[in-house]
Amino acid sequence: MAEDEDEDRYRAPALDKGLDILELLAGVDGGLTQAEIAKKLDRSPNEFYRMLDRLVRRGYVTRPDGDRYSLTLKLFGLAQLHAPVRRLVSYATPLMRELAETSQQANQLVVFDRGSAVVIAQQEAPNYWGISIRVGSHISLFDTGSGHVLLAFRSPEERRMMISEHLRSTDKPPQSPEFFARLDQIRERGYEMMASMQTAGVFNLSAPVLGSDGRAIAALSIPYITLVSAPKAPDITRTIELLLAATEKLSPLAGAAAKQAK
């Protein structure tokens, strides 16, 4: 059987149509209308209505401006939770263990996935006391240090897409201009330090794990508590220094892992 006949035998027109849309939207900025998509793919606009509706409902495509369709970060999130994430965790684990020992605090590694910040690795505190968050937990982008850092170290367009996906998966209200001003401050400072909005007496310390392009691949975070029973434990200022040193070591490794995944 000829190669082109074999290809025709196993064609899946609906799947091809969906992939054509995704590949097209991945290469444009600002999105396209249904008519523009049809024109670029040399098809009738009516052919794409149901497919676009399904892609929007499944979270792969969004309509931020009403009539224009844009690609979301869902495909990116799916890729992040595959082999690259396992590689990132393997690189991060010894550094997270060292950070826990030197800071005497627990820490966790968090990535963005399909509208949420997701904990992909956790290191317990070496002593009796510490705040732990289970691996696999989905946490908010809006009221956690990890979420703030993941947003702060992305482009304005990526922030918008991440927030749009987050709003679809939660009942959180849109954020104020002051929130975006805070993200800019975090980016300038290089880390987030904020009182926990979930647990009294805890401070969220979070710093970005950066790729070679300066975008946050992940956030490394410490839920800092004052250890009254360990007066020689690092104070919050020293703990921030230890956290930043850890992310500085991890960022080149994470960047290399991301490149290997391409």
Side-chain angles (χ1 to χ4, degrees), residues 40-249:
K40 288 182 178 293
L41 295 178
D42 195 24
R43 307 285 283 273
S44 165
N46 292 335
E47 290 185 57
F48 293 103
Y49 176 78
R50 291 178 62 186
M51 181 59 68
L52 285 168
D53 180 70
R54 295 314 305 165
L55 289 172
V56 169
R57 290 177 183 275
R58 294 295 296 270
Y60 291 96
V61 170
T62 186
R63 297 179 65 182
D65 300 322
D67 62 343
R68 303 186 75 81
Y69 295 87
S70 299
L71 202 63
T72 70
L73 294 180
K74 184 171 183 177
L75 285 172
F76 174 78
L78 289 172
Q80 288 294 295
L81 291 184
H82 194 43
V85 166
R86 294 198 298 271
R87 194 176 297 118
L88 175 58
V89 171
S90 69
Y91 290 150
T93 297
L95 293 172
M96 293 173 68
R97 188 179 301 119
E98 178 184 1
L99 177 60
E101 291 290 339
T102 55
S103 67
Q104 298 188 40
Q105 305 279 343
N107 62 76
Q108 59 261 345
L109 191 66
V110 181
V111 299
F112 177 80
D113 174 55
R114 287 171 283 181
S116 297
V118 182
V119 178
I120 61 169
Q122 159 73 25
Q123 184 63 50
E124 300 283 352
N127 298 314
Y128 291 109
W129 302 104
I131 303 294
S132 296
I133 302 178
R134 290 191 302 272
V135 172
S137 296
H138 287 60
I139 60 179
S140 173
L141 286 180
F142 295 158
D143 55 19
T144 65
S146 298
H148 289 182
V149 163
L150 290 171
L151 288 170
F153 290 85
R154 289 294 184 94
S155 69
E157 174 68 12
E158 287 176 312
R159 285 184 191 176
R160 182 187 64 77
M161 293 172 66
M162 293 165 73
I163 289 172
S164 177
E165 291 187 31
H166 187 62
L167 291 174
R168 285 199 300 271
S169 62
T170 69
D171 57 359
K172 300 286 185 180
Q175 296 301 293
S176 66
E178 290 76 17
F179 177 76
F180 293 97
R182 182 180 184 90
L183 296 182
D184 292 335
Q185 293 170 359
I186 293 167
R187 188 182 183 100
E188 182 176 351
R189 185 171 59 211
Y191 63 91
E192 171 67 301
M193 179 179 68
M194 59 179 283
S196 171
M197 299 179 70
Q198 292 78 34
T199 307
V202 176
F203 280 87
N204 291 335
L205 309 179
S206 187
V209 177
L210 299 174
S212 58
D213 56 3
R215 296 162 65 240
I217 296 173
L220 183 58
S221 300
I222 295 176
Y224 179 88
I225 57 175
T226 301
L227 299 171
V228 177
S229 60
K232 293 184 179 180
D235 63 13
I236 194 167
T237 300
R238 177 56 182 158
T239 301
I240 292 171
E241 293 174 354
L242 294 170
L243 174 63
L244 293 173
T247 54
E248 187 175 352
K249 292 179 183 177

